[in-house]
Amino acid sequence: MDLSLNTKNVFSSALRFAMSIDTLKNSPELAHELKTSAQEQVEFMLSEDEEVRLLVSQEEVKCVVRLGISSVLSTLLDRLSSLLLLPEEFDVLNDIEWLCKVLPRMELMKDLVFKWADVSSEILVIAQNCKLGVKVKLVEVTGKVLEAVGYGVVIVPCGSRACLLKLWLPFIRRLKTLVDAEGSGSEYRMDEDLCEFLEGSMVSLVLTLPSNDQAEVFGEWMRGIALEGVKFPDLSEAFEVWCYRSKSAKRRLLEKCDRLASENLAH
């Protein structure tokens, strides 16, 4: 019992420092080193310590993780809002990427996915004023969330899945255009691996949606191709599956595209 309690205390403490719940406010450099060491310790304990793999199912440990998720996302929103998140200061987004790596091992990825879905609208409003590098990093993190939902790692209600994709698809598409316009010499790029990763996640995700939601997504996608010349992401595979499944798919899609085109001309 003493050994288990000691392991639990060490692991909980490492989690709190890894997610900056506890930190050294008077020494930022030392705080960063401590956080990095704590993250490494958490990863090691999850992979090597059998007791820890049992501890993660305890509600007390789960509460620490959920508190950390809320803290990290709150920090992200604060920094985005105050425009303090510069391209060279990606700590908070790196922390979220780290969470995406360890949370599935704790079966708590759903907590991050639901929180990310809740704050996505707010993030996207603020992100319009952010530097290009910050936007790219946001998309990298969002890709992890889309992957978890699209491949069934996290089961999300249908409406939330559709909302998540409809929110981020236009942003990702426009960002790809901006990044490409910067040319190959740009410091910030959406490389081939990232693009394939995003496309694969979005194709899988759109195939999980009801037909009407799929129609909206494909309408937005085709509007981007027709009116803006934006071919990324390539959802043609998912579109073909949708057409095969629904006899009336082509008719509904054309109606949707015509309406979108008319609205665009009206504006």
Side-chain angles (χ1 to χ4, degrees), residues 134-145:
V134 175
K135 292 179 180 180
V136 172
K137 195 68 177 178
L138 278 170
V139 164
E140 290 176 3
V141 171
T142 301
K144 304 288 187 182
V145 173

Side-chain angles (χ1 to χ4, degrees), residues 151 190-202 232:
Y151 291 105
M190 292 176 65
D191 60 28
E192 185 175 346
D193 289 342
L194 175 59
C195 290
E196 288 182 358
F197 168 68
L198 288 167
E199 280 187 349
S201 299
M202 285 190 279
F232 177 83

Side-chain angles (χ1 to χ4, degrees), residues 42 57 88 104 137 141 154 222:
V42 168
S57 64
E88 64 271 19
K137 195 68 177 178
V141 171
V154 176
M222 294 190 74

Side-chain angles (χ1 to χ4, degrees), residues 148-188:
V149 178
Y151 291 105
V153 175
V154 176
I155 306 302
V156 177
C158 194
S160 297
R161 292 199 306 271
C163 184
L164 194 61
L165 186 57
K166 290 174 189 177
L167 281 172
W168 283 99
L169 176 60
F171 181 83
I172 293 172
R173 195 189 71 229
R174 288 193 297 270
L175 179 61
K176 180 66 164 62
T177 303
L178 290 173
V179 171
D180 288 349
E182 291 285 312
S184 58
S186 174
E187 182 181 358
Y188 305 106

Side-chain angles (χ1 to χ4, degrees), residues 18-19 38-39 99 106 133 142 146 165 190 194 196 204 210 213 243:
M19 296 183 290
Q39 289 177 350
L99 284 171
M106 304 173 71
T142 301
L146 295 176
L165 186 57
M190 292 176 65
L194 175 59
E196 288 182 358
S204 295
D213 287 316
C243 288

Side-chain angles (χ1 to χ4, degrees), residues 182-236:
E182 291 285 312
S184 58
S186 174
E187 182 181 358
Y188 305 106
R189 294 184 298 138
M190 292 176 65
D191 60 28
E192 185 175 346
D193 289 342
L194 175 59
C195 290
E196 288 182 358
F197 168 68
L198 288 167
E199 280 187 349
S201 299
M202 285 190 279
V203 166
S204 295
L205 181 51
V206 75
L207 287 174
T208 70
L209 301 180
S211 185
N212 287 340
D213 287 316
Q214 288 180 332
E216 287 191 42
V217 172
F218 291 131
E220 169 69 22
W221 171 62
M222 294 190 74
R223 185 185 71 82
I225 295 174
L227 301 178
E228 302 169 18
V230 182
K231 297 180 180 179
F232 177 83
D234 183 1
L235 300 181
S236 55

